[in-house]
Amino acid sequence: MVNEMDFKDKVVVVTGSGRGIGLRILERFYKLGAKVVVSDLDAAHVEEVASKMGDRAIGIAANVTIADDITALFKNVVEKFGRVDIVVNNAGITRDTLLIRMDEKDWDMVLDINLKGAFLVTKTAGKLMMKQRVGRIVNISSVVGLTGNAGQANYSASKAGLIGLTKSAAREFAPRGITVNAVAPGFIMTDMTDNLPDAAKETFRQKIMIDRFGEPDDIASAVLFFASDEASYVTGQVLAVDGGLTA
Ligand code: NAI
C-alpha cells in the first residue's frame, strides 16, 4: 500500500525535523514527491539539511514554544509554497527524573515544548487548513503517554495531553475536511534514546515482542499512512508503533 502513496506537490511541515524521527519523516515525504519544510531551532542547520535534501525542500527555523515564531513559520510557508497540506507535531524533549526530585522548570519546559508547542502549531495550521477545507495533522505522542513511566512524569503527562489535543482537534476540524491523528512510538533509536544507560535499554528490549528497537522509518511509515488518501476516513486515533511493547 505504501508504494501507492503519492504526495506529489503536497506541502508538508514537520516541527523538530533537523534530526531524528522528524528528519526521517520529511525525507520519506520528499521521496514521494512532496514539497517539504525542515523546521527546528537552529536556522543555519535547517537550511543546511534542506539544501542537502533538494530543490523542493526549504528550511525555516522556529521554536514551537514561541507564538510569533509559529505565525512567521506558516506565513513563510504560504508565501513560498502557497498552502499547507500536512503538519506533523514532532518537536519534543525529555528531562527525566523521579517525580519527587523533579524541578518545576523541568516540568514547565517539557510541557511547553511537547504540548503547548503542538497547540500553537495546530491552532495556526488549523486556521489555514480550515480555509482550504482540507488538511492532515499528525502528532507524535509516545507509548508512555498511554502507560505512564517512572522517571518521566513530565514527559508522560505531555504525551498524554497530546492525545487529548489530538482527539479534541479531530472533533473540531472534521467538518472542515481535516483529520488529526497521533502516532505513539515505543523505543526508537535516535539521539533521544542514545544516552540511556545500557541496563535501561535492556529492560525495554526484553519487553518488546518484535525483538529489536524501532527505527525512525517505522514511525515515518505510520505518519505517511495517516497523511495519505488511504486514511481519509480515520481521525482522532492513536496508533502505537512499538514492536508490541504495550500490546
Ligand atoms: P531528537 O531529540 O533526536 O529530535 C528532536 C528534535 O526536536 C531536535 O531536532 C530538537 O532540536 C527539536 N526541538 C527541541 N525543542 C524544540 C523547540 N522548542 N522547537 C522546535 N524544535 C525543537 O528526538 P526524536 O527521538 O527524533 O523524537 C522526535 C519525537 O518523537 C519527539 O516528540 C519525541 O518525544 C517522540 N518520541 C521519541 C521516542 C524515541 O524512542 N526516540 C519514543 C516516543 C516518542
Side-chain angles (χ1 to χ4, degrees):
M1 195 200 297
V2 171
N3 291 337
E4 287 170 14
M5 286 187 198
D6 182 2
F7 294 100
K8 193 167 178 329
D9 294 332
K10 291 278 193 305
V11 178
V12 185
V13 179
V14 180
T15 65
S17 50
R19 68 175 192 220
I21 294 171
L23 176 57
R24 192 63 196 135
I25 292 168
L26 268 192
E27 287 170 344
R28 293 277 298 277
F29 275 116
Y30 191 88
K31 264 195 204 159
L32 293 166
K35 296 173 177 166
V36 304
V37 181
V38 184
S39 188
D40 210 303
L41 292 170
D42 185 76
H45 179 62
V46 293
E47 273 154 34
E48 191 192 332
V49 171
S51 69
K52 274 189 200 149
M53 218 178 278
D55 57 2
R56 281 177 282 111
I58 58 168
I60 304 174
N63 181 333
V64 293
T65 66
I66 300 174
D68 286 349
D69 273 22
I70 301 309
T71 306
L73 166 66
F74 284 100
K75 190 165 174 276
N76 236 314
V77 172
V78 171
E79 271 167 22
K80 180 76 186 174
F81 290 137
R83 54 186 293 111
V84 58
D85 298 291
I86 297 159
V87 169
V88 183
N89 281 306
N90 166 80
I93 61 158
T94 51
R95 288 290 179 276
D96 298 350
T97 192
L98 293 175
L99 200 151
I100 57 168
R101 287 190 205 141
M102 192 174 283
D103 289 343
E104 206 178 322
K105 74 170 178 12
D106 283 341
W107 173 272
D108 287 345
M109 189 191 262
V110 168
L111 268 290
D112 243 29
I113 295 175
N114 297 8
L115 186 54
K116 183 183 154 189
F119 155 68
L120 292 173
V121 168
T122 302
K123 180 177 170 180
T124 311
K127 277 186 198 163
L128 292 168
M129 289 174 173
M130 278 187 169
K131 280 193 206 136
Q132 295 171 179
R133 296 203 157 260
V134 64
R136 293 275 200 270
I137 298 174
V138 185
N139 296 327
I140 308 300
S141 178
S142 166
V143 287
V144 305
L146 299 165
T147 63
N149 196 22
Q152 292 197 305
N154 49 0
Y155 184 76
S156 307
S158 73
K159 295 299 187 178
L162 194 49
I163 292 172
L165 174 66
T166 302
K167 289 176 180 280
S168 300
R171 287 175 190 274
E172 291 188 23
F173 293 175
R176 305 293 186 97
I178 303 160
T179 66
V180 189
N181 291 288
V183 178
F187 191 113
I188 310 300
M189 288 189 296
T190 66
D191 290 354
M192 186 177 270
T193 45
D194 198 36
N195 52 14
L196 284 174
D198 284 346
K201 285 187 191 167
E202 192 44 40
T203 308
F204 265 111
R205 176 86 185 233
Q206 284 167 4
K207 293 183 191 151
I208 301 172
M209 284 186 212
I210 298 171
D211 188 23
R212 65 171 176 86
F213 293 131
E215 310 266 358
D217 262 320
D218 295 312
I219 305 310
S221 297
V223 172
L224 291 185
F225 167 68
F226 279 137
S228 74
D229 289 345
E230 308 292 335
S232 57
Y233 197 55
V234 181
T235 197
Q237 298 303 309
V238 184
L239 178 62
V241 179
D242 65 355
L245 177 67
T246 57

